[in-house]
């Protein structure tokens, strides 16, 4: 699982390497299973050299094993690709810095970062402990920020040295972050934060040749199997598996490639064969009296505005009981 020493052209691709991401070096966090594994394999199939990061923890963040990351890296190598495993905790500065250093020491460069790592600790708000809140916010939000911060630091240095990168970051939000999800206050808050981080990073980092986008995927993984139960089961007897994680990866690979030039600061939903550009918060009906409102008058004005506004999409799970 070591890098080759082939020459490179000005696009960050290995000369003679095939595929959409030929020769690009890609980090995928949380790549030992589920969506991350699918992304890592898809990038490798398109010619990328992959750093496979995973702590190997359980669905709730418990335990830990180097096995899942190593298995995916070995799978890539067995099919003729190049990959290395990284088992560091990317929600720590030390782990995130070592993740970027692993890419540079193994392959001599870094082109794409896919932030995907995460786990769930679902509770209704009145039952949600501070520890479960902190753990989920940490892995999803801090675990996005720190790898992004160290990758961006490297790419900024490259730009200042006259080696402008063709850099890509793909963050992972969720429908829960866009709409909310009953029983997932911690997860919804973290994934909404990922969207905000994505928008700021796209605005700040474009000057260094870095594009930053986010996806809100829907697929069958360990994190979703309890939420969706049988609705996400693989079809019997073959046919299109609408909930396979592999359905999301083509968009991620394209966003992580040089071919996505000019696309930044966007959020996409990806589910089965459907891709959607999410348009986010935009101003709706408004009124301005040119002076301070009295509370009762403000309330009356708001009710008139709400009557003109589009109704919000429902929160996932709204109307269902819970304890």
């Amino acid at each position: 699982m070591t890098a080759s020493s082939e020459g490179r052209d000005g696009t960050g691709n290995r000369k003679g390497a095939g595929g959409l991401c030929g020769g690009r070096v890609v980090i995928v966090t949380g790549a030992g299973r589920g969506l991350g594994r699918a992304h890592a394999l898809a990038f490798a199939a398109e010619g990328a050299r992959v750093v496979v990061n995973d702590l190997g923890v359980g669905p709730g963040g418990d335990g830990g094993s180097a096995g899942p990351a190593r298995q995916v890296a070995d799978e890539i190598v067995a099919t003729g690709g190049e990959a290395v495993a990284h088992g560091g905790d990317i929600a720590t500065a030390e782990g995130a810095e070592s993740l970027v250093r692993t890419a540079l020491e193994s392959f001599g460069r870094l082109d794409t970062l896919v932030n995907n790592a995460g786990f769930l600790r679902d509770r209704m708000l009145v039952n949600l402990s501070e520890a479960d809140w902190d753990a989920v916010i940490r892995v999803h939000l801090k675990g996005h920020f720190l790898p992004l911060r160290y990758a961006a630091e490297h790419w900024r240095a490259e730009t200042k040295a006259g080696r402008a990168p063709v850099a890509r970051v793909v963050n992972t939000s969720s429908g829960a972050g866009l709409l909310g999800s009953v029983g997932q206050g911690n997860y919804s808050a973290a994934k909404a934060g990922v969207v905000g981080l994505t928008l700021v990073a796209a605005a700040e980092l474009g000057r260094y040749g870095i594009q930053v986008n986010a996806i809100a995927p829907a697929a069958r993984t360990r994190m979703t199997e309890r939420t969706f139960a049988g609705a996400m089961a693989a079809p019997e007897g073959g046919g299109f598996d609408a909930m396979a994680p592999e359905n999301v990866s083509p968009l991620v690979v394209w966003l992580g490639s040089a071919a996505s030039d000019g696309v930044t600061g966007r959020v996409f939903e990806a589910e089965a064969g459907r891709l959607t550009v999410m348009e986010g918060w935009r101003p709706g009906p408004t009124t301005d009296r040119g002076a301070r409102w009295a509370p009762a008058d403000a309330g009356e004005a708001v009710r008139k505005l709400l009557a003109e506004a589009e109704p919000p999409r429902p929160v996932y799970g709204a109307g269902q009981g819970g304890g």
Side-chain angles (χ1 to χ4, degrees), residues 96-218:
E97 189 277 334
S98 104
L99 176 65
V100 171
R101 187 172 67 248
T102 295
L104 299 177
E105 292 178 351
S106 299
F107 302 119
R109 61 184 300 123
L110 173 62
D111 301 286
T112 299
L113 167 66
V114 179
N115 283 316
N116 170 77
F119 55 73
L120 296 177
R121 294 190 183 177
D122 293 352
R123 298 285 189 278
M124 303 299 282
L125 287 172
V126 294
N127 296 321
L128 182 62
S129 71
E130 182 180 6
D132 287 343
W133 172 273
D134 288 346
V136 169
I137 296 294
R138 177 185 183 275
V139 69
H140 288 281
L141 195 49
K142 193 175 181 183
H144 269 64
F145 160 64
L146 286 172
L148 170 60
R149 181 248 187 270
Y150 284 100
E153 181 179 61
H154 164 69
W155 288 322
R156 182 182 64 175
E158 288 290 283
T159 299
K160 290 183 175 181
R163 298 183 295 270
V166 182
R168 305 288 186 261
V169 178
V170 184
N171 291 330
T172 306
S173 184
S174 167
L178 303 179
L179 296 176
S181 180
V182 171
Q184 294 187 309
N186 48 3
Y187 178 71
S188 296
K191 289 304 192 183
V194 167
V195 172
L197 176 64
T198 299
L199 300 179
V200 171
E204 289 187 1
L205 303 178
R207 72 189 73 179
Y208 306 122
I210 307 168
Q211 294 183 181
V212 188
N213 294 285
I215 61 165

Side-chain angles (χ1 to χ4, degrees), residues 218-221 224 228 231-235 240-247 271-272:
R220 182 179 55 254
T221 69
T224 59
F228 296 99
M232 284 194 163
F240 177 52
D241 183 355
M243 290 295 102
E246 290 78 8
N247 298 334
E271 177 182 352

Side-chain angles (χ1 to χ4, degrees), residues 28-38 40 50-54 68-69 72 116-117:
V28 184
T29 70
R33 303 180 179 93
L35 282 166
R37 174 182 177 274
V50 185
V51 179
V52 180
N53 164 266
D54 204 285
V72 174
N116 170 77

Side-chain angles (χ1 to χ4, degrees), residues 284-290 293 297-298 300-302 304-305 308:
T286 185
T287 185
D288 183 355
R289 70 182 302 175
W293 293 89
D297 292 340
E300 181 179 354
V302 166
K304 290 179 180 178
L305 294 176
E308 302 172 14

